[in-house]
Amino acid sequence: MNRPLLVVGAKGQLGRQLCDEASRHNNVVAAGREDLDITQAEAVRRLVGEALPRAIINCAAYTAVDKAESDSEAAHAINALGPEYLARAAAEYGIPLLHVSTDYVFDGGKSDAYREADPIAPLGVYGRTKEEGERRVRNTHSEHIILRTSWVYGPYGNNFLKTMLRLSRERDELRVVADQRGCPTATIDIARALLAAESAASSGRAKWGTYHFAGAGVTTWHGFAHEIVSAAARAGGRSVPVIPIATKDYPTPAKRPPNSELDSSRFVERFGYKSPPWQERTREVVEALLVPAEAR
Ligand SMILES: NC(=O)c1ccc[n+]([C@@H]2O[C@H](COP(=O)([O-])OP(=O)(O)OC[C@H]3O[C@@H](n4cnc5c(N)ncnc54)[C@H](OP(=O)(O)O)[C@@H]3O)[C@@H](O)[C@H]2O)c1
């Protein structure tokens, strides 16, 4: 019998997209937080032992970057300890673990794209706890793939793209930081990348380790917002000006890396899946959210 894929954090924006995509060809066990709290080691072990999946994909995380600054215990439990419990259970049952991580493990001081071997130096609690989660996975279970991604958006959950669409309806102009650069990455592409990696891992073509995977191209939050609003205007939404501002004019509790561009070439070379240009996916996602399917 075909063993299922176990998707953990299945109700988040990435988890939902991954379950949609994976269930087209696979038997999927989708575990939301109410089905599995990854901070409970025994519950993790029990579910993995019952489901006996062919691979575990962890999309669960504490992702509220600013809130994490004053809630570090919860962020640590979910981002650092949870991944270790998943890795322990995966190791016990001999199952590969795919774990999603972040560009925020870097401080953003590099002038060009980050590669996997670049030194990590997280700026805040979120990045530090995610980095510790990576380390715990590496130290616990050799059969792992850690996928670092960035600036995640898609049709589900909360994300920057959906916030910009809402604000463009509510406000007459948007003010967005123009001095932080990175790669917007669509959940559909991360889902496909994870499935490509899982298929290689489960068929014995193991290529364990840490990889970067992000949308092709680089922009600023301002550039991303501009593309979103332009695409929305073409799809019948309001056209509002998007004003560039500096990070210092938009203070937040957590510091953000000024550059978090990820170089995905190692992933593409090993697993063969490449994201389309971020602008193309942005337009598709905006259109899918704004234009009824029958009118497209
Ligand atoms: N969002 C980004 O821009 C971004 C950028 C780089 C990397 N990433 C990484 O991408 C991955 C997916 O993120 P996302 O954007 O899909 O985040 P998300 O929408 O916030 O989803 C995270 C999910 O994890 C669940 N969760 C939280 N604590 C849990 C626990 N103890 N046990 C089980 N589930 C728990 C959340 O449930 P509740 O909603 O009930 O808390 C939520 O459904 C994460 O590893 C994240 O670090 C995200």
Side-chain angles (χ1 to χ4, degrees), residues 8-16 31-34 36-40 58-64 77-79 99-104 126 130 147-153 156-159 187 190 221:
V8 178
K11 301 278 173 66
Q13 60 162 337
L14 175 58
R16 287 176 68 186
R33 189 180 192 148
E34 63 286 7
L36 179 66
D37 176 348
I38 62 166
T39 66
Q40 303 303 310
N58 179 30
C59 300
Y62 187 113
T63 56
I78 297 164
N79 291 345
H99 173 67
V100 182
S101 192
T102 172
D103 52 338
Y104 279 29
Y126 169 72
K130 289 292 291 183
L147 197 79
R148 289 188 188 135
T149 190
S150 62
W151 295 27
V152 178
Y153 68 96
Y156 295 124
N158 297 316
N159 55 60
T187 49
I190 309 173
W221 289 112

Side-chain angles (χ1 to χ4, degrees), residues 60-237:
Y62 187 113
T63 56
V65 174
D66 289 317
K67 197 168 159 226
E69 292 298 307
S70 54
D71 194 17
S72 57
E73 210 171 304
H76 182 260
I78 297 164
N79 291 345
L81 300 181
E84 174 171 340
Y85 301 153
L86 288 165
R88 267 195 227 162
E92 180 179 344
Y93 291 99
I95 297 163
L97 172 64
L98 287 83
H99 173 67
V100 182
S101 192
T102 172
D103 52 338
Y104 279 29
V105 299
F106 298 116
D107 66 7
K110 198 179 174 190
S111 57
D112 56 352
Y114 278 95
R115 297 181 64 94
E116 290 80 352
D118 282 325
I120 44 97
L123 295 173
V125 170
Y126 169 72
R128 272 199 296 280
T129 56
K130 289 292 291 183
E131 189 279 319
E132 186 178 328
E134 288 188 2
R135 229 175 329 121
R136 286 173 180 265
V137 167
R138 278 185 210 108
N139 293 340
T140 306
H141 186 30
S142 57
E143 296 186 2
H144 68 263
I145 288 169
I146 293 170
L147 197 79
R148 289 188 188 135
T149 190
S150 62
W151 295 27
V152 178
Y153 68 96
Y156 295 124
N158 297 316
N159 55 60
F160 180 83
L161 181 145
K162 290 173 79 177
T163 302
M164 290 302 114
L165 288 181
R166 176 174 53 78
L167 293 178
S168 69
R169 286 191 296 271
E170 294 172 0
R171 299 190 183 169
D172 293 330
E173 65 173 35
L174 305 182
R175 304 170 71 78
V176 184
V177 295
D179 53 2
Q180 290 170 31
R181 61 200 289 278
C183 310
T185 311
T187 49
I188 186 70
D189 292 308
I190 309 173
R192 289 176 181 167
L194 285 165
L195 293 172
E198 187 280 321
S199 151
S202 298
S203 60
R205 294 173 285 124
K207 297 167 183 183
W208 313 120
T210 300
Y211 294 91
H212 289 176
F213 180 83
V218 62
T219 186
T220 63
W221 289 112
H222 172 265
F224 189 21
H226 187 265
E227 191 68 41
I228 294 163
V229 171
S230 306
R234 282 195 300 275

Side-chain angles (χ1 to χ4, degrees), residues 249-283:
D249 297 324
Y250 187 74
T252 52
K255 244 180 120 182
R256 265 80 172 160
N259 171 36
S260 69
E261 181 184 357
L262 298 179
D263 179 338
S264 305
S265 52
R266 185 164 178 262
F267 181 90
V268 175
E269 186 193 307
R270 300 241 177 140
F271 297 106
Y273 184 74
K274 188 177 184 334
S275 240
W278 67 268
Q279 298 92 327
E280 205 177 289
R281 270 293 185 249
T282 298
R283 287 194 288 270

